[in-house]
Amino acid sequence: MEMHQVRYFLAICETQNFTRAAEACRVAQPSLTKAIKKLEEELGGELFRRERNQTQLTDLGQLMKPHLSTIFAATTAAKADADVFKLNEKTTVNLGVMSTIGPSQMIGFISQLRSEVPSLDLNIREASGQALVDALIEGEIDIGLIGLPELPERLRALPLYSERYTIAFGKGHRFEQMNAVPLKELDQEDYLVRVHCEFSDHFAALGGKKEHEVNVRYSSEREDWIQAMVLAKLGCSVMPEFLPVMPGIAMRPVSEPEVARTISLVTVAGRRHSPVLDIMTRLAQRHAWPER
């Protein structure tokens, strides 16, 4: 058994299609098919069953999948650690972070990353979710921290944590008497627009019916300006649950419906990663991300 056979096997499991698996592995389909055939001969039976446009695992394939996944993960981790050990010069990674994600959620992760890769130079680019998606596809950034309801098929997302959306308001607002704020209660409320907020995308993804019309008073790309205006009681605004807020701002979860987002570490599927990106991914999987 060779590692490229294991890699092809897992790619087919993920894509459920020989052609797409070959594209993801950047290999000609006949070569991939030949390698899988040889693996089946070594294991003594068929691993896949083709059904129209999809490829399904056989019983033997189901049995082998966890074993081959473990082998591949362990080998990949060992190679990544060995590659990093050999790094004598600084390594640069371009990380894109959605502007609506607070830095407090990232500092612990970055500190752990520095401990594992002391030579790392991390360039952090802040932008909207869609801008980061475009930057990933174009190769302008290596990896992204993104929380959008949908991503292009070319991107692979590792979910890290989820957070609800809340209504932020100044002390003394009528929302202060509520445990949660139904969205219809926002009707005709003075509202402050956070330009890069993805709340409307997540709400639309739920298929909910809009029953309110806010009175937009101000808008800004800067979180500090929006929060300063909330604090001054110039209006309310939707904000993610874990976004750091200025002292004095009150927050209540959105309800009817509850709207939440999942923050994921996103890379381009099939693109060759540096050893440091592999370490970042494994570290992100075991990091203690916030919980509700």
Side-chain angles (χ1 to χ4, degrees):
M1 184 184 303
E2 299 181 9
M3 284 310 303
H4 72 277
Q5 293 173 308
V6 177
R7 182 162 62 93
Y8 297 167
F9 171 85
L10 295 176
I12 298 171
C13 291
E14 181 176 345
T15 62
Q16 295 185 331
N17 183 279
F18 273 64
T19 301
R20 290 196 296 268
E23 291 174 353
C25 295
R26 297 186 177 184
V27 64
Q29 184 176 335
S31 297
L32 180 140
T33 302
K34 183 178 179 181
I36 292 299
K37 183 66 176 177
K38 184 177 179 181
L39 181 61
E40 289 176 331
E41 291 173 357
E42 293 177 11
L43 295 176
E46 292 187 349
L47 298 172
F48 297 102
R49 178 176 57 253
R50 299 194 187 195
E51 297 178 354
R52 295 185 180 179
N53 295 328
Q54 284 195 331
T55 300
Q56 304 292 338
L57 285 168
T58 63
D59 290 342
L60 178 60
Q62 292 281 5
L63 182 64
M64 291 296 104
K65 183 179 178 181
H67 298 298
L68 298 182
S69 296
T70 300
I71 291 171
F72 185 76
T75 303
T76 301
K79 186 178 184 303
D81 288 344
D83 287 342
V84 171
F85 181 79
K86 292 185 291 184
L87 290 176
N88 295 317
E89 298 180 357
K90 288 188 176 181
T91 301
T92 299
V93 169
N94 297 306
L95 169 67
V97 180
M98 274 198 338
S99 52
T100 58
I101 297 176
S104 60
Q105 307 306 327
M106 287 295 297
I107 296 303
F109 173 70
I110 292 174
S111 296
Q112 286 184 305
L113 184 60
R114 181 175 180 178
S115 296
E116 294 214 10
V117 192
S119 61
L120 175 65
D121 280 347
L122 188 64
N123 292 333
I124 299 177
R125 171 177 171 179
E126 185 181 69
S128 67
Q130 186 55 54
L132 293 181
V133 166
D134 295 339
L136 270 171
I137 292 175
E138 294 299 322
E140 297 171 4
I141 59 176
D142 303 306
I143 193 166
L145 199 66
I146 301 174
L148 294 176
E150 293 183 358
L151 292 170
E153 290 185 4
R154 287 189 60 189
L155 301 184
R156 178 175 298 157
L158 170 66
L160 303 179
Y161 65 92
S162 295
E163 60 180 338
R164 298 170 294 183
Y165 280 98
T166 70
I167 302 295
F169 49 88
K171 293 290 185 181
H173 195 285
R174 67 186 182 91
F175 291 162
E176 199 167 19
Q177 306 303 316
M178 303 179 183
N179 293 325
V181 179
L183 277 178
K184 62 184 179 183
E185 292 292 333
L186 291 180
D187 193 50
Q188 300 307 310
E189 282 287 332
D190 287 347
Y191 191 78
L192 309 171
V193 173
R194 299 163 56 247
V195 172
H196 293 313
C197 181
E198 306 82 14
F199 173 80
S200 59
D201 296 328
H202 289 279
F203 177 75
L206 294 175
K209 181 181 178 181
K210 187 177 180 181
E211 299 179 356
H212 64 279
E213 196 66 44
V214 295
N215 180 23
V216 176
R217 301 302 305 275
Y218 305 94
S219 65
S220 177
E221 294 182 352
R222 289 178 51 173
E223 295 290 342
D224 54 349
W225 274 90
I226 292 294
Q227 293 192 25
M229 287 188 280
V230 169
L231 198 58
K233 303 179 183 179
L234 297 178
C236 60
S237 187
V238 170
M239 294 185 183
E241 183 175 11
F242 297 130
L243 182 70
V245 296
M246 296 178 178
I249 292 179
M251 302 172 74
R252 297 291 185 272
V254 168
S255 65
E256 300 178 21
E258 178 182 288
V259 185
R261 69 178 183 177
T262 297
I263 305 301
S264 299
L265 202 63
V266 183
T267 54
V268 178
R271 182 174 292 171
R272 185 175 179 83
H273 294 160
S274 70
V276 173
L277 289 187
D278 291 332
I279 288 180
M280 287 182 69
T281 302
R282 289 189 286 113
L283 181 59
Q285 288 177 306
R286 65 174 187 264
H287 180 71
W289 295 101
E291 297 181 358
R292 293 186 185 180

